[in-house]
């Protein structure tokens, strides 16, 4: 290929890229319903993330785990310095990619398409926390070393899970023809009932003034279409539930200034962390924990 042809090919790619950015910008449109969906997706992912993080942080509770509890410094370093930033970057990139896909479809077929929501796999998150990290933690005798080992095994398992999903995705339609959908959904539904249903409901009932009031606003917002606002402006359903919970939490003393101050200390720049080394550092240990 001549140098001129190569330059034209590069220019064509650059022009295509610039055009894609322009289409992405021009294709973005947000209505009231879209903002409601964004809030719902945000708080849905936030609740899953906080639930998984709280489950991990329980390992650093000396009252529950005694001498084998993870030190607070190690817990903060791995949870807030590696896990949470990684999840945040994934959420941004994943939702941008899905949005780009919807815009491409809209441009191609001339009608509006809604982007597929991208978020945390809730059943997978809790399965990894309790079935992998907790299991490795206790089998290794606990402490900082046991927690770090569980973290590395979970990273390796997540990598393998991704490979399996990619391979099985090729045969997705064939699998659906052979395996009844109910057989695929029941395991996910059981985890949903346990961690998304009963656990969240029990936490709400434990603080009835706050919990029952927010549950009431869930039904008022989504089923009765009653939303807080002024004039034509109305808050998204998910946002008003969160605001009601925050106000009642502080008004009833459920939230404490001390806990807020301790949490605020963790809000800082942790810096980018390359975790590929952690993923493959103890890859050979996966065989020891299979099953």
């Amino acid at each position: 290929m001549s140098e001129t042809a190569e330059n034209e090919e590069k220019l064509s790619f650059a022009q295509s890229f610039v055009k894609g950015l322009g289409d992405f910008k021009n294709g973005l449109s947000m209505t009231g319903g879209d903002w409601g969906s964004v809030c719902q997706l945000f708080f849905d992912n936030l609740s899953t993330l906080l639930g998984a993080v709280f489950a991990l942080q329980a390992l650093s509770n000396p009252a529950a785990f005694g001498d084998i509890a993870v030190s607070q410094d190690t817990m903060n370093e791995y949870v807030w310095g590696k896990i949470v930033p990684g999840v945040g970057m994934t959420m941004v990139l994943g939702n941008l990619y899905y949005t780009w896909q919807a815009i491409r479809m809209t441009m191609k077929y001339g009608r509006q398409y809604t982007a597929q929501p991208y978020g945390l796999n809730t059943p997978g998150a809790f399965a990894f926390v309790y079935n992998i990290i907790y299991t490795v933690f206790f089998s290794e005798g606990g402490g900082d070393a046991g927690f770090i080992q569980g973290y590395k095994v979970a990273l390796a398992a997540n990598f393998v899970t991704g490979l399996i999903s990619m391979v099985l995705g090729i045969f997705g339609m064939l699998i659906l023809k052979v395996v009844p959908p109910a057989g695929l959904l029941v395991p996910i539904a059981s985890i949903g009932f346990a961690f998304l249903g009963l656990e969240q409901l029990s936490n709400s009932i434990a603080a009835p003034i706050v919990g029952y009031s927010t549950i009431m606003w869930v039904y008022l917002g989504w089923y009765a279409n009653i939303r807080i606002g002024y004039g034509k402006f109305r808050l998204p359903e998910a946002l008003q539930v969160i605001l009601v919970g925050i106000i009642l939490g502080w008004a009833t003393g459920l939230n404490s200034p001390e806990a807020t101050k301790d949490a605020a200390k963790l809000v800082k720049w942790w810096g980018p962390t390359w975790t590929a080394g952690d993923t493959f550092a103890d890859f050979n240990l996966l065989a020891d924990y299979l099953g």
Side-chain angles (χ1 to χ4, degrees):
M1 181 182 295
S2 66
E3 183 176 351
T4 303
E6 290 181 358
N7 292 335
E8 289 179 355
E9 183 177 351
K10 292 179 180 179
L11 181 62
S12 176
F13 173 79
Q15 288 176 335
S16 177
F17 181 76
V18 171
K19 181 180 182 298
L21 290 178
D23 291 342
F24 183 85
K25 179 181 177 182
N26 297 329
L28 287 175
S29 62
M30 296 293 290
T31 64
D34 292 325
W35 285 114
S37 299
V38 167
C39 289
Q40 173 64 25
L41 179 63
F42 174 81
F43 288 116
D44 177 75
N45 282 312
L46 181 63
S47 62
T48 300
L49 177 61
L50 291 178
V53 166
F54 290 159
L56 288 175
Q57 288 186 314
L59 294 174
S60 63
N61 184 2
F65 294 96
D67 295 337
I68 67 170
V70 183
S71 67
Q72 197 61 53
D73 289 340
T74 299
M75 182 62 67
N76 290 339
E77 177 187 353
Y78 277 83
V79 170
W80 304 109
K82 295 185 177 183
I83 297 175
V84 174
V87 170
M89 182 176 293
T90 302
M91 293 300 101
V92 172
L93 295 178
N95 279 291
L96 284 176
Y97 177 67
Y98 278 12
T99 303
W100 175 67
Q101 284 184 322
I103 291 174
R104 286 182 63 198
M105 296 288 286
T106 298
M107 295 291 185
K108 183 176 181 179
Y109 294 105
R111 69 178 184 85
Q112 289 294 322
Y113 281 83
T114 300
Q116 173 78 7
Y118 183 91
L120 291 171
N121 180 351
T122 304
F126 287 105
F128 269 67
V129 169
Y130 289 114
N131 293 342
I132 297 179
I133 296 180
Y134 267 60
T135 300
V136 176
F137 174 80
F138 287 115
S139 65
E140 295 294 329
D144 290 358
F147 175 73
I148 295 173
Q149 186 81 337
Y151 164 79
K152 291 181 178 179
V153 172
L155 283 180
N158 192 52
F159 179 80
V160 173
T161 301
L163 293 179
I164 294 174
S165 298
M166 291 174 61
V167 173
L168 293 182
I170 300 174
F171 307 98
M173 297 307 297
L174 177 61
I175 294 174
L176 286 176
K177 291 180 180 179
V178 177
V179 183
L184 298 172
L185 295 177
V186 165
I188 299 177
S190 62
I191 296 178
F193 275 117
F195 295 112
L196 298 183
L198 296 178
E199 184 182 26
Q200 301 303 321
L201 185 61
S202 63
N203 291 334
S204 299
I205 295 175
I209 295 179
V210 180
Y212 280 122
S213 298
T214 50
I215 291 175
M216 179 191 70
W217 275 99
V218 168
Y219 285 95
L220 289 176
W222 272 285
Y223 296 102
N225 199 29
I226 297 176
R227 292 189 289 165
I228 302 172
Y230 179 78
K232 294 183 179 181
F233 173 76
R234 292 291 183 270
L235 287 175
E237 296 89 340
L239 182 58
Q240 71 182 12
V241 172
I242 297 297
L243 290 177
V244 169
I246 292 174
I247 294 171
L248 291 177
W250 283 105
T252 59
L254 185 63
N255 295 342
S256 66
E258 293 76 15
T260 303
K261 291 179 181 178
D262 292 339
K265 295 177 182 178
L266 298 173
V267 181
K268 60 181 181 180
W269 174 253
W270 291 89
T273 303
W274 180 251
T275 59
D278 294 337
T279 301
F280 299 103
D282 296 307
F283 205 83
N284 60 314
L285 295 179
L286 275 179
D288 297 335
Y289 299 103
L290 287 176

